[in-house]
Amino acid sequence: MPAYNSVFNTTDPPPRLVGNFPLLPLRTKTRGPAYTLPPADASLPPNESPDPDSDSYDILDEVLSLFRANTFFRNFEIQGPADRLLVYGIWFVSDCLSKIKPNASLREATRDVNNLALDLNFAIPGDPAWPLNQMYEPPRDRQDAELLKQYMSQVRQELAARLLARVYDEGDAKPSKWWLSFTKRKFMGKGL
């Protein structure tokens, strides 16, 4: 059985690409270069995603919904640009989960995960530290590299906030053991 690919691979019009990394629209309040989608229905709890047919559904909702299923795969066939963002999102979620301790309160986990999300010393495609440079093209100039770094920072911050809402959906006392059980798994055998 193959891994799950992104439904955003076939969006029309196609997203802007930096190298071959897509800059897809996001449902976010975090400042950055991403085009902002309309907010989700106000009655939707923060630990749930909107319906995939909704205008508010974005790639980060898809990352969180496919994370647990795709984590079991060692191979992943990239079928479009959105899959590159999906792969990056899954690696980042895995990094965030490794920062959450099993007995950490929501406040402690928020501090640790936000420190990871706000850290600006992360690799982008083309950097020697990037895990799969053979599948990602580097930005063509410094301006594109800066745009990609800002977009990835925005993705990291929004993904961290949504992940914490899911991991602590039953209260702020303890994280969900169903999410933390994936801390040791490495998607495609790699990590950030």
Side-chain angles (χ1 to χ4, degrees):
M1 182 175 156
Y4 297 100
N5 292 85
S6 177
V7 296
F8 294 98
N9 282 328
T10 57
T11 58
D12 192 42
R16 177 175 180 197
L17 298 176
V18 174
N20 59 1
F21 198 92
L23 303 182
L24 291 166
L26 304 174
R27 186 184 75 249
T28 181
K29 292 179 183 158
T30 306
R31 289 181 48 153
Y35 174 76
T36 306
L37 293 174
D41 182 16
S43 64
L44 192 69
N47 63 332
E48 291 184 20
S49 295
D51 186 42
D53 297 331
S54 166
D55 289 342
S56 300
Y57 188 77
D58 67 3
I59 186 75
L60 302 183
D61 293 319
E62 188 175 52
V63 165
L64 291 170
S65 65
L66 295 179
F67 170 76
R68 293 187 273 188
N70 276 356
T71 301
F72 291 107
F73 293 98
R74 295 200 43 80
N75 298 319
F76 184 81
E77 180 184 349
I78 292 186
Q79 297 178 348
D83 282 342
R84 288 180 178 84
L85 181 53
L86 180 68
V87 167
Y88 178 73
I90 290 173
W91 284 336
F92 181 70
V93 167
S94 184
D95 258 11
C96 288
L97 289 175
S98 70
K99 298 287 183 194
I100 301 173
K101 296 172 185 65
N103 56 356
S105 68
L106 175 60
R107 185 175 179 183
E108 294 166 341
T110 301
R111 183 190 64 229
D112 294 340
V113 170
N114 282 341
N115 284 342
L116 178 64
L118 292 170
D119 183 13
L120 295 177
N121 285 332
F122 60 89
I124 63 171
D127 289 349
W130 186 257
L132 282 176
N133 268 326
Q134 66 271 22
M135 293 170 56
Y136 290 81
E137 294 174 11
R140 70 174 183 259
D141 57 26
R142 190 180 321 193
Q143 187 177 7
D144 273 0
E146 187 58 36
L147 174 67
L148 181 58
K149 193 140 185 136
Q150 289 173 358
Y151 179 79
M152 291 173 81
S153 179
Q154 187 178 13
V155 164
R156 291 164 65 98
Q157 292 173 48
E158 185 62 29
L159 204 48
R162 292 189 202 179
L163 176 66
L164 286 168
R166 290 178 185 228
V167 171
Y168 285 89
D169 66 341
E170 296 173 5
D172 63 355
K174 285 176 60 176
S176 166
K177 65 182 177 181
W178 304 113
W179 277 94
L180 292 188
S181 64
F182 288 86
T183 57
K184 301 249 187 294
R185 300 208 62 85
K186 296 277 187 199
F187 177 56
M188 297 172 58
K190 301 197 181 301
L192 292 177

